[in-house]
């Protein structure tokens, strides 16, 4: 496996299930039903996989500001990662979901944010794994002892003050990752204010994959980000800092490693307007 690869196929994963340096993480989740992901994991999952919950492990408690999914405390997350058998700088992590990378990409980004680049996503997710005829199990995985030392890469994340100060500067591309209806303020099912941050352009995260949840080829990702090739800096946000990570993944696949996450995203921006 090449560490520069961002996606692995079901076939590759099936052939490496017994690799002692591999840890698989199930990130399935539903914003509408927060308990569903854990229930799905309990029912069946890829053999050897561990479950990490978006709300419980991959986010911090919600406050007045910071958005609906604040970034987890680095030390707490490091302990969680170690408890699943992930050794920093050593273990190769494969994350999967069943939502076109929506939640697995959050773990992908968090690992890289903590200085651990040995991570990829399962192309096609859990459905793709099952469609290929590979086994599933309800057996709870037992982790091996591990140590994870976090090395936060602070240049990968920005806050609201940074966005305000930089979004209108020459060479800065501010990207809204939500669907066009929310970007245009035609519909807002979650946050108290509809619309987008002034100056933002719309790159819906759903366009990163095909209908089966498989990542589009690098050539298509590059065409998608033609505007970004000239940018000096790209700031990406969504509703709460989760699906923006799908666009950050897309930028990396396209060979444009300039993306920074506005972690609080639109839900944080809104919290200062109401």
């Amino acid at each position: 496996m090449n560490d520069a690869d961002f996606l692995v196929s079901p076939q590759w994963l099936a052939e490496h299930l017994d690799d002692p340096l591999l840890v698989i993480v199930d990130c399935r989740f539903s914003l509408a039903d927060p308990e569903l992901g854990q229930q799905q994991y309990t029912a069946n999952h890829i053999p050897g996989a561990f479950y990490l919950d978006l709300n419980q492990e991959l986010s911090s408690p919600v406050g007045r500001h910071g958005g609906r999914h604040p970034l987890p405390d680095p030390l707490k997350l490091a302990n969680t990662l170690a408890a699943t058998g992930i050794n920093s700088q050593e273990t190769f992590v494969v994350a999967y979901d069943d939502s076109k990378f929506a939640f697995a990409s959050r773990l992908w980004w968090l690992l890289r944010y903590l200085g651990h680049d040995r991570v990829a996503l399962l192309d096609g997710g859990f459905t793709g794994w099952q469609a290929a005829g590979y086994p599933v199990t309800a057996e709870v995985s037992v982790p091996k002892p591990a140590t994870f030392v976090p090395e936060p890469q602070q240049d990968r994340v920005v806050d609201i003050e940074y966005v305000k100060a930089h979004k209108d500067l020459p060479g800065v591309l501010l990207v809204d990752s939500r669907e066009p209806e929310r970007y245009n303020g035609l519909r807002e099912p979650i946050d108290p204010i509809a619309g987008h941050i002034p100056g933002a352009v719309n790159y819906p995260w759903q366009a990163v994959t095909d209908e089966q949840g498989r990542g589009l080829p690098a050539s298509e990702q590059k065409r998608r980000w033609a505007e970004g090739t000239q940018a000096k800096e790209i700031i990406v946000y969504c509703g709460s800092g989760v699906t923006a990570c799908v666009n950050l993944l897309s930028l990396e696949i396209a060979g444009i490693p300039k993306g920074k996450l506005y972690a609080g995203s639109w839900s944080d921006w809104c919290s200062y307007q109401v």
Side-chain angles (χ1 to χ4, degrees), residues 173 222 225-232 234 251 254-256 258:
L173 183 66
K222 290 177 182 178
W225 292 106
E227 185 179 4
T229 57
Q230 302 302 316
K232 296 179 181 178
I234 303 175
L251 280 166
I256 310 173
K258 306 172 186 176

Side-chain angles (χ1 to χ4, degrees), residues 200-223:
V201 295
N202 190 209
Y203 281 72
W205 66 271
Q206 296 92 336
V208 174
T209 58
D210 62 19
E211 288 303 313
Q212 286 71 46
R214 295 186 297 254
L216 298 180
S219 59
E220 293 189 38
Q221 306 285 5
K222 290 177 182 178
R223 282 196 294 271

Side-chain angles (χ1 to χ4, degrees), residues 43-229:
N44 53 50
H45 51 264
I46 294 175
F50 299 90
Y51 183 72
L52 291 182
D53 183 274
L54 173 64
N55 285 348
Q56 303 302 319
E57 283 93 24
L58 305 183
S59 304
S60 289
V62 178
R64 180 180 179 186
H65 301 301
R68 283 180 279 105
H69 292 102
L71 296 184
D73 175 78
L75 288 176
K76 184 178 180 180
L77 178 58
N79 290 335
T80 298
L81 296 171
T84 61
I86 300 173
N87 285 296
S88 50
Q89 311 302 328
E90 179 181 343
T91 304
F92 188 79
V93 181
V94 174
Y96 71 87
D97 59 28
D98 218 5
S99 305
K100 298 184 176 183
F101 305 153
F103 306 110
S105 65
R106 169 79 164 203
L107 177 60
W108 170 87
W109 185 89
L110 284 169
L111 282 164
R112 290 164 62 83
Y113 166 64
L114 294 185
H116 186 92
D117 290 345
R118 303 205 72 211
V119 54
L121 302 187
L122 176 61
D123 208 13
F126 188 68
T127 295
W129 174 267
Q130 288 186 302
Y134 294 119
V136 297
T137 183
E139 183 178 346
V140 177
S141 305
V142 178
K144 298 177 181 178
T147 301
F148 194 99
V149 179
E151 299 178 6
Q153 311 294 301
Q154 298 297 348
D155 61 339
R156 292 180 182 267
V157 61
V158 301
D159 60 14
I160 188 171
E161 295 304 324
Y162 187 97
V163 174
K164 288 180 177 178
H166 290 79
K167 69 183 184 67
D168 297 318
L169 295 178
V172 175
L173 183 66
L174 179 63
V175 174
D176 187 314
S177 304
R178 298 170 301 162
E179 57 267 38
E181 292 81 3
R182 292 183 69 191
Y183 168 80
N184 290 315
L186 302 177
R187 181 177 68 88
E188 183 45 65
I190 305 173
D191 294 308
I193 299 175
H196 60 266
I197 299 174
V201 295
N202 190 209
Y203 281 72
W205 66 271
Q206 296 92 336
V208 174
T209 58
D210 62 19
E211 288 303 313
Q212 286 71 46
R214 295 186 297 254
L216 298 180
S219 59
E220 293 189 38
Q221 306 285 5
K222 290 177 182 178
R223 282 196 294 271
R224 181 170 182 260
W225 292 106
E227 185 179 4
T229 57

